Amino acid sequence: MVRPRDAADVATALGAMGARGAIARGLGRSYGDVAQNGGGLVLDMTAQRGIERFDEDEGILAALAGTSIDDILRAIVPRGWFLPVTPGTRFVTLGGAIANDVHGKNHHGDGSLGDHLVGFELLLPDGQVRQVALASDPETYEATLGGLGLTGIIVRATVRLLPIGTSWTRVDTERAVDLEDLMGRMASDDHRYRYSVAWVDCLARGRSLGRGVLTRGDHATREELPSALARDPLVYSPRMLASVPPGVPNVVTRAAARSFNEVWFRKAPREERGRITSLTSFFYPLDAIADWNRLYGRRGFVQHQFVVPFGQERVVETAVELLSSGGSASFLAVLKRFGPGRGMLSFPAPGWTLALDLPAGQPGLAQLLDRIDRLVAEAGGRVYLAKDARLNPALLPDMYPDLDRWMDARERLDPGHAWRSDLERRLGLGARQRKDALT
Ligand SMILES: Cc1cc2nc3c(=O)[nH]c(=O)nc-3n(C[C@H](O)[C@H](O)[C@H](O)COP(=O)(O)OP(=O)(O)OC[C@H]3O[C@@H](n4cnc5c(N)ncnc54)[C@H](O)[C@@H]3O)c2cc1C
């Protein structure tokens, strides 16, 4: 792995690249092998960071691709702007966020990050830098958005920001007694909120199967703040509250997850309206604890996220049933609704998305996830490749119907296949003939 400081460093590194090719890497927050390239070159892009232009009147920001969302928010929130889309951690880079076309809690209304870009610069393997915008070069734009770093290196990008009156959110919380109740509430009322997310208790059984806590909100206006907060309405100073030391044993056992879920559900208000909550606790609860992943012990955990079209609610229900009866201890299960997608390999598509954190090494976990993957594919859904390390490649063409179109675009942008990754090899994304080989 090299950490190029500028374009000249990138060129030097690429000059020495071997047959296993190269891949860009951001802050490494993807859960699988999408930013890894065993035996090949990895370009850590985090040294190429910095905001290059911030138009405070128009809300337009241009930054180098290695700039983190954290850096961006520290600059823009005190000036009354927010990112139009943010994932559940601010420790990701702009380039990484585009390469996975990340979504937030507002996909049902606002789409993914790719719906808010003015454009970006893409470095091709021959050293050419291409200016890419949706209107002028839709193929490159849609192939790179969610293109997993395999169409080129994003050098810089320009984003249209969202105006905010305060650095606070106004949040409504409600408990749902089972999955049907939860999905019903989301389907009927999500459109009234910019942000919506539900925590699902995947260990509850019987009549409580899929019970959950629904949290929905919007940016608070100045008038909605209590007077103590209204004095400095755009204050923004996120802090780490704790950090998990190395070597902690796995605390996410089934018994612990069950107790946690019970307490979490009971602690949530049955119904609460208008709680004023900071941006960081609403959007980035996990960021408050550094190295939270260590709580899963040395074996770590598997993250799995899928989306199925509206009308296929039964698949979500079956997945929750399988998890609750199979004994997999997931205390972080998150349900959201998506609107239309944008990129050829972008994950979001209209429907329900469920994300699960599951301790690795539990007996039967691989078979359980394989089964869920098959159900998802049959229902016309897909899994999120940013979080994948284990998908059966045979399911990929069904899950991503634009795969061939993306491969053609990639072929044009990188005919020599300079950009390679472990995920690309594992899923056979490089071979034009993969479909024939699999059939
Ligand atoms: C706690 C947590 C919560 C999360 N919540 C969400 C969520 O709500 N929604 C969501 O969509 N995702 C979510 N994610 C996933 C995360 O947002 C994505 O994996 C994101 O892409 C990570 O960005 P990164 O900078 O760490 O990139 P990496 O993980 O290092 O790389 C990701 C991809 O970007 C490519 N890449 C990186 N930099 C460049 C570049 N300059 N040019 C070209 N390609 C590049 C890499 O090759 C790779 O394919 C979450 C992750 C965590 C840990």
Side-chain angles (χ1 to χ4, degrees), residues 284-306:
Y284 314 112
L286 279 175
D287 286 351
I289 304 167
D291 299 316
W292 56 267
N293 49 304
R294 289 181 178 153
L295 292 172
Y296 286 89
R298 291 197 54 192
R299 298 184 95 158
F301 67 99
V302 176
Q303 161 103 192
H304 188 267
Q305 183 171 3
F306 67 81

PDB file of all heavy atoms in Angstrom, residues 284-306:
ATOM      1  N   TYR A 284     -24.681   9.711  13.554  1.00  0.00           N
ATOM      2  CA  TYR A 284     -23.444   8.924  13.733  1.00  0.00           C
ATOM      3  C   TYR A 284     -23.311   8.332  15.132  1.00  0.00           C
ATOM      4  O   TYR A 284     -22.278   8.545  15.793  1.00  0.00           O
ATOM      5  CB  TYR A 284     -22.226   9.816  13.431  1.00  0.00           C
ATOM      6  CG  TYR A 284     -22.363  10.635  12.172  1.00  0.00           C
ATOM      7  CD1 TYR A 284     -22.471  12.017  12.222  1.00  0.00           C
ATOM      8  CD2 TYR A 284     -22.394  10.015  10.918  1.00  0.00           C
ATOM      9  CE1 TYR A 284     -22.609  12.769  11.066  1.00  0.00           C
ATOM     10  CE2 TYR A 284     -22.535  10.759   9.757  1.00  0.00           C
ATOM     11  CZ  TYR A 284     -22.644  12.137   9.837  1.00  0.00           C
ATOM     12  OH  TYR A 284     -22.781  12.874   8.695  1.00  0.00           O
ATOM     13  N   PRO A 285     -24.310   7.603  15.622  1.00  0.00           N
ATOM     14  CA  PRO A 285     -24.210   7.114  17.014  1.00  0.00           C
ATOM     15  C   PRO A 285     -22.974   6.244  17.247  1.00  0.00           C
ATOM     16  O   PRO A 285     -22.351   6.345  18.290  1.00  0.00           O
ATOM     17  CB  PRO A 285     -25.511   6.320  17.212  1.00  0.00           C
ATOM     18  CG  PRO A 285     -26.051   6.066  15.842  1.00  0.00           C
ATOM     19  CD  PRO A 285     -25.561   7.182  14.972  1.00  0.00           C
ATOM     20  N   LEU A 286     -22.591   5.438  16.241  1.00  0.00           N
ATOM     21  CA  LEU A 286     -21.453   4.528  16.456  1.00  0.00           C
ATOM     22  C   LEU A 286     -20.119   5.274  16.497  1.00  0.00           C
ATOM     23  O   LEU A 286     -19.155   4.799  17.094  1.00  0.00           O
ATOM     24  CB  LEU A 286     -21.398   3.474  15.344  1.00  0.00           C
ATOM     25  CG  LEU A 286     -22.330   2.282  15.500  1.00  0.00           C
ATOM     26  CD1 LEU A 286     -22.243   1.391  14.266  1.00  0.00           C
ATOM     27  CD2 LEU A 286     -22.001   1.465  16.736  1.00  0.00           C
ATOM     28  N   ASP A 287     -20.066   6.443  15.867  1.00  0.00           N
ATOM     29  CA  ASP A 287     -18.800   7.186  15.829  1.00  0.00           C
ATOM     30  C   ASP A 287     -18.369   7.671  17.218  1.00  0.00           C
ATOM     31  O   ASP A 287     -17.220   8.057  17.406  1.00  0.00           O
ATOM     32  CB  ASP A 287     -18.915   8.404  14.898  1.00  0.00           C
ATOM     33  CG  ASP A 287     -18.908   8.003  13.431  1.00  0.00           C
ATOM     34  OD1 ASP A 287     -18.643   6.826  13.139  1.00  0.00           O
ATOM     35  OD2 ASP A 287     -19.183   8.874  12.579  1.00  0.00           O
ATOM     36  N   ALA A 288     -19.303   7.672  18.168  1.00  0.00           N
ATOM     37  CA  ALA A 288     -18.946   8.154  19.515  1.00  0.00           C
ATOM     38  C   ALA A 288     -18.017   7.179  20.224  1.00  0.00           C
ATOM     39  O   ALA A 288     -17.347   7.540  21.183  1.00  0.00           O
ATOM     40  CB  ALA A 288     -20.208   8.374  20.341  1.00  0.00           C
ATOM     41  N   ILE A 289     -17.983   5.929  19.767  1.00  0.00           N
ATOM     42  CA  ILE A 289     -17.132   4.927  20.427  1.00  0.00           C
ATOM     43  C   ILE A 289     -16.070   4.469  19.433  1.00  0.00           C
ATOM     44  O   ILE A 289     -16.369   3.758  18.465  1.00  0.00           O
ATOM     45  CB  ILE A 289     -17.982   3.721  20.887  1.00  0.00           C
ATOM     46  CG1 ILE A 289     -19.099   4.214  21.798  1.00  0.00           C
ATOM     47  CG2 ILE A 289     -17.119   2.684  21.608  1.00  0.00           C
ATOM     48  CD1 ILE A 289     -20.155   3.198  22.067  1.00  0.00           C
ATOM     49  N   ALA A 290     -14.835   4.884  19.677  1.00  0.00           N
ATOM     50  CA  ALA A 290     -13.760   4.514  18.746  1.00  0.00           C
ATOM     51  C   ALA A 290     -13.536   3.007  18.799  1.00  0.00           C
ATOM     52  O   ALA A 290     -13.601   2.393  19.869  1.00  0.00           O
ATOM     53  CB  ALA A 290     -12.482   5.255  19.125  1.00  0.00           C
ATOM     54  N   ASP A 291     -13.299   2.403  17.641  1.00  0.00           N
ATOM     55  CA  ASP A 291     -13.011   0.963  17.539  1.00  0.00           C
ATOM     56  C   ASP A 291     -14.113   0.081  18.134  1.00  0.00           C
ATOM     57  O   ASP A 291     -13.831  -0.942  18.756  1.00  0.00           O
ATOM     58  CB  ASP A 291     -11.653   0.644  18.209  1.00  0.00           C
ATOM     59  CG  ASP A 291     -10.509   1.392  17.539  1.00  0.00           C
ATOM     60  OD1 ASP A 291     -10.473   1.427  16.301  1.00  0.00           O
ATOM     61  OD2 ASP A 291      -9.666   1.959  18.264  1.00  0.00           O
ATOM     62  N   TRP A 292     -15.371   0.515  17.932  1.00  0.00           N
ATOM     63  CA  TRP A 292     -16.504  -0.256  18.466  1.00  0.00           C
ATOM     64  C   TRP A 292     -16.514  -1.679  17.928  1.00  0.00           C
ATOM     65  O   TRP A 292     -17.017  -2.601  18.567  1.00  0.00           O
ATOM     66  CB  TRP A 292     -17.838   0.450  18.138  1.00  0.00           C
ATOM     67  CG  TRP A 292     -18.021   0.691  16.663  1.00  0.00           C
ATOM     68  CD1 TRP A 292     -17.688   1.801  15.990  1.00  0.00           C
ATOM     69  CD2 TRP A 292     -18.528  -0.233  15.681  1.00  0.00           C
ATOM     70  NE1 TRP A 292     -17.957   1.658  14.648  1.00  0.00           N
ATOM     71  CE2 TRP A 292     -18.470   0.418  14.428  1.00  0.00           C
ATOM     72  CE3 TRP A 292     -19.040  -1.531  15.736  1.00  0.00           C
ATOM     73  CZ2 TRP A 292     -18.890  -0.188  13.250  1.00  0.00           C
ATOM     74  CZ3 TRP A 292     -19.457  -2.133  14.562  1.00  0.00           C
ATOM     75  CH2 TRP A 292     -19.380  -1.467  13.340  1.00  0.00           C
ATOM     76  N   ASN A 293     -15.908  -1.882  16.752  1.00  0.00           N
ATOM     77  CA  ASN A 293     -15.908  -3.219  16.140  1.00  0.00           C
ATOM     78  C   ASN A 293     -15.178  -4.247  17.008  1.00  0.00           C
ATOM     79  O   ASN A 293     -15.437  -5.449  16.911  1.00  0.00           O
ATOM     80  CB  ASN A 293     -15.278  -3.156  14.746  1.00  0.00           C
ATOM     81  CG  ASN A 293     -13.946  -2.435  14.729  1.00  0.00           C
ATOM     82  OD1 ASN A 293     -13.861  -1.288  15.158  1.00  0.00           O
ATOM     83  ND2 ASN A 293     -12.909  -3.104  14.271  1.00  0.00           N
ATOM     84  N   ARG A 294     -14.299  -3.760  17.898  1.00  0.00           N
ATOM     85  CA  ARG A 294     -13.566  -4.700  18.757  1.00  0.00           C
ATOM     86  C   ARG A 294     -14.479  -5.408  19.758  1.00  0.00           C
ATOM     87  O   ARG A 294     -14.087  -6.417  20.341  1.00  0.00           O
ATOM     88  CB  ARG A 294     -12.474  -3.951  19.524  1.00  0.00           C
ATOM     89  CG  ARG A 294     -11.329  -3.520  18.627  1.00  0.00           C
ATOM     90  CD  ARG A 294     -10.285  -2.814  19.461  1.00  0.00           C
ATOM     91  NE  ARG A 294      -9.135  -2.428  18.660  1.00  0.00           N
ATOM     92  CZ  ARG A 294      -8.352  -1.400  18.944  1.00  0.00           C
ATOM     93  NH1 ARG A 294      -8.588  -0.658  20.003  1.00  0.00           N
ATOM     94  NH2 ARG A 294      -7.320  -1.126  18.186  1.00  0.00           N
ATOM     95  N   LEU A 295     -15.676  -4.863  19.958  1.00  0.00           N
ATOM     96  CA  LEU A 295     -16.618  -5.516  20.882  1.00  0.00           C
ATOM     97  C   LEU A 295     -16.973  -6.922  20.404  1.00  0.00           C
ATOM     98  O   LEU A 295     -17.498  -7.730  21.172  1.00  0.00           O
ATOM     99  CB  LEU A 295     -17.894  -4.682  21.021  1.00  0.00           C
ATOM    100  CG  LEU A 295     -17.721  -3.334  21.729  1.00  0.00           C
ATOM    101  CD1 LEU A 295     -18.992  -2.509  21.629  1.00  0.00           C
ATOM    102  CD2 LEU A 295     -17.355  -3.554  23.199  1.00  0.00           C
ATOM    103  N   TYR A 296     -16.720  -7.200  19.128  1.00  0.00           N
ATOM    104  CA  TYR A 296     -17.036  -8.524  18.586  1.00  0.00           C
ATOM    105  C   TYR A 296     -15.894  -9.517  18.783  1.00  0.00           C
ATOM    106  O   TYR A 296     -15.959 -10.641  18.280  1.00  0.00           O
ATOM    107  CB  TYR A 296     -17.365  -8.408  17.091  1.00  0.00           C
ATOM    108  CG  TYR A 296     -18.730  -7.806  16.838  1.00  0.00           C
ATOM    109  CD1 TYR A 296     -18.881  -6.431  16.710  1.00  0.00           C
ATOM    110  CD2 TYR A 296     -19.872  -8.598  16.750  1.00  0.00           C
ATOM    111  CE1 TYR A 296     -20.123  -5.863  16.489  1.00  0.00           C
ATOM    112  CE2 TYR A 296     -21.117  -8.045  16.520  1.00  0.00           C
ATOM    113  CZ  TYR A 296     -21.236  -6.673  16.385  1.00  0.00           C
ATOM    114  OH  TYR A 296     -22.470  -6.121  16.164  1.00  0.00           O
ATOM    115  N   GLY A 297     -14.857  -9.108  19.501  1.00  0.00           N
ATOM    116  CA  GLY A 297     -13.754 -10.037  19.764  1.00  0.00           C
ATOM    117  C   GLY A 297     -12.895 -10.259  18.531  1.00  0.00           C
ATOM    118  O   GLY A 297     -13.071  -9.610  17.488  1.00  0.00           O
ATOM    119  N   ARG A 298     -11.979 -11.226  18.637  1.00  0.00           N
ATOM    120  CA  ARG A 298     -10.988 -11.417  17.574  1.00  0.00           C
ATOM    121  C   ARG A 298     -11.595 -11.915  16.267  1.00  0.00           C
ATOM    122  O   ARG A 298     -11.078 -11.674  15.191  1.00  0.00           O
ATOM    123  CB  ARG A 298      -9.919 -12.407  18.034  1.00  0.00           C
ATOM    124  CG  ARG A 298      -9.065 -11.812  19.141  1.00  0.00           C
ATOM    125  CD  ARG A 298      -7.804 -12.580  19.313  1.00  0.00           C
ATOM    126  NE  ARG A 298      -7.097 -12.690  18.038  1.00  0.00           N
ATOM    127  CZ  ARG A 298      -6.070 -13.497  17.833  1.00  0.00           C
ATOM    128  NH1 ARG A 298      -5.640 -14.263  18.802  1.00  0.00           N
ATOM    129  NH2 ARG A 298      -5.481 -13.554  16.658  1.00  0.00           N
ATOM    130  N   ARG A 299     -12.706 -12.635  16.342  1.00  0.00           N
ATOM    131  CA  ARG A 299     -13.291 -13.172  15.097  1.00  0.00           C
ATOM    132  C   ARG A 299     -14.069 -12.120  14.321  1.00  0.00           C
ATOM    133  O   ARG A 299     -14.381 -12.316  13.166  1.00  0.00           O
ATOM    134  CB  ARG A 299     -14.208 -14.350  15.418  1.00  0.00           C
ATOM    135  CG  ARG A 299     -13.467 -15.493  16.055  1.00  0.00           C
ATOM    136  CD  ARG A 299     -14.389 -16.653  16.251  1.00  0.00           C
ATOM    137  NE  ARG A 299     -14.275 -17.568  15.130  1.00  0.00           N
ATOM    138  CZ  ARG A 299     -14.619 -18.842  15.200  1.00  0.00           C
ATOM    139  NH1 ARG A 299     -15.111 -19.335  16.315  1.00  0.00           N
ATOM    140  NH2 ARG A 299     -14.482 -19.623  14.159  1.00  0.00           N
ATOM    141  N   GLY A 300     -14.408 -11.055  15.013  1.00  0.00           N
ATOM    142  CA  GLY A 300     -15.082  -9.975  14.305  1.00  0.00           C
ATOM    143  C   GLY A 300     -16.539 -10.282  13.981  1.00  0.00           C
ATOM    144  O   GLY A 300     -17.171 -11.118  14.628  1.00  0.00           O
ATOM    145  N   PHE A 301     -17.043  -9.611  12.976  1.00  0.00           N
ATOM    146  CA  PHE A 301     -18.451  -9.799  12.624  1.00  0.00           C
ATOM    147  C   PHE A 301     -18.635  -9.700  11.113  1.00  0.00           C
ATOM    148  O   PHE A 301     -17.742  -9.276  10.395  1.00  0.00           O
ATOM    149  CB  PHE A 301     -19.328  -8.759  13.337  1.00  0.00           C
ATOM    150  CG  PHE A 301     -19.092  -7.343  12.870  1.00  0.00           C
ATOM    151  CD1 PHE A 301     -19.941  -6.763  11.942  1.00  0.00           C
ATOM    152  CD2 PHE A 301     -18.020  -6.611  13.344  1.00  0.00           C
ATOM    153  CE1 PHE A 301     -19.716  -5.460  11.500  1.00  0.00           C
ATOM    154  CE2 PHE A 301     -17.782  -5.318  12.904  1.00  0.00           C
ATOM    155  CZ  PHE A 301     -18.633  -4.744  11.990  1.00  0.00           C
ATOM    156  N   VAL A 302     -19.796 -10.135  10.690  1.00  0.00           N
ATOM    157  CA  VAL A 302     -20.158 -10.048   9.275  1.00  0.00           C
ATOM    158  C   VAL A 302     -21.283  -9.029   9.174  1.00  0.00           C
ATOM    159  O   VAL A 302     -22.218  -9.057   9.964  1.00  0.00           O
ATOM    160  CB  VAL A 302     -20.692 -11.414   8.767  1.00  0.00           C
ATOM    161  CG1 VAL A 302     -21.153 -11.309   7.329  1.00  0.00           C
ATOM    162  CG2 VAL A 302     -19.637 -12.481   8.929  1.00  0.00           C
ATOM    163  N   GLN A 303     -21.149  -8.126   8.229  1.00  0.00           N
ATOM    164  CA  GLN A 303     -22.262  -7.204   7.983  1.00  0.00           C
ATOM    165  C   GLN A 303     -22.953  -7.680   6.716  1.00  0.00           C
ATOM    166  O   GLN A 303     -22.296  -8.070   5.744  1.00  0.00           O
ATOM    167  CB  GLN A 303     -21.718  -5.782   7.854  1.00  0.00           C
ATOM    168  CG  GLN A 303     -22.624  -4.831   7.182  1.00  0.00           C
ATOM    169  CD  GLN A 303     -23.382  -3.851   8.099  1.00  0.00           C
ATOM    170  OE1 GLN A 303     -24.288  -3.216   7.613  1.00  0.00           O
ATOM    171  NE2 GLN A 303     -23.046  -3.725   9.368  1.00  0.00           N
ATOM    172  N   HIS A 304     -24.270  -7.668   6.734  1.00  0.00           N
ATOM    173  CA  HIS A 304     -25.034  -8.098   5.568  1.00  0.00           C
ATOM    174  C   HIS A 304     -26.162  -7.110   5.355  1.00  0.00           C
ATOM    175  O   HIS A 304     -26.890  -6.798   6.288  1.00  0.00           O
ATOM    176  CB  HIS A 304     -25.603  -9.509   5.825  1.00  0.00           C
ATOM    177  CG  HIS A 304     -26.238 -10.121   4.610  1.00  0.00           C
ATOM    178  ND1 HIS A 304     -27.577 -10.015   4.343  1.00  0.00           N
ATOM    179  CD2 HIS A 304     -25.717 -10.839   3.599  1.00  0.00           C
ATOM    180  CE1 HIS A 304     -27.842 -10.660   3.204  1.00  0.00           C
ATOM    181  NE2 HIS A 304     -26.731 -11.162   2.734  1.00  0.00           N
ATOM    182  N   GLN A 305     -26.279  -6.586   4.134  1.00  0.00           N
ATOM    183  CA  GLN A 305     -27.380  -5.664   3.851  1.00  0.00           C
ATOM    184  C   GLN A 305     -27.993  -6.029   2.510  1.00  0.00           C
ATOM    185  O   GLN A 305     -27.278  -6.228   1.523  1.00  0.00           O
ATOM    186  CB  GLN A 305     -26.884  -4.211   3.826  1.00  0.00           C
ATOM    187  CG  GLN A 305     -28.024  -3.210   3.603  1.00  0.00           C
ATOM    188  CD  GLN A 305     -27.619  -1.758   3.793  1.00  0.00           C
ATOM    189  OE1 GLN A 305     -26.449  -1.462   4.050  1.00  0.00           O
ATOM    190  NE2 GLN A 305     -28.576  -0.863   3.655  1.00  0.00           N
ATOM    191  N   PHE A 306     -29.303  -6.123   2.511  1.00  0.00           N
ATOM    192  CA  PHE A 306     -29.984  -6.398   1.243  1.00  0.00           C
ATOM    193  C   PHE A 306     -31.132  -5.432   1.038  1.00  0.00           C
ATOM    194  O   PHE A 306     -31.576  -4.759   1.976  1.00  0.00           O
ATOM    195  CB  PHE A 306     -30.478  -7.857   1.186  1.00  0.00           C
ATOM    196  CG  PHE A 306     -31.586  -8.201   2.156  1.00  0.00           C
ATOM    197  CD1 PHE A 306     -32.909  -7.893   1.882  1.00  0.00           C
ATOM    198  CD2 PHE A 306     -31.298  -8.853   3.349  1.00  0.00           C
ATOM    199  CE1 PHE A 306     -33.930  -8.219   2.767  1.00  0.00           C
ATOM    200  CE2 PHE A 306     -32.313  -9.183   4.244  1.00  0.00           C
ATOM    201  CZ  PHE A 306     -33.628  -8.864   3.954  1.00  0.00           C
TER     202      PHE A 306
END
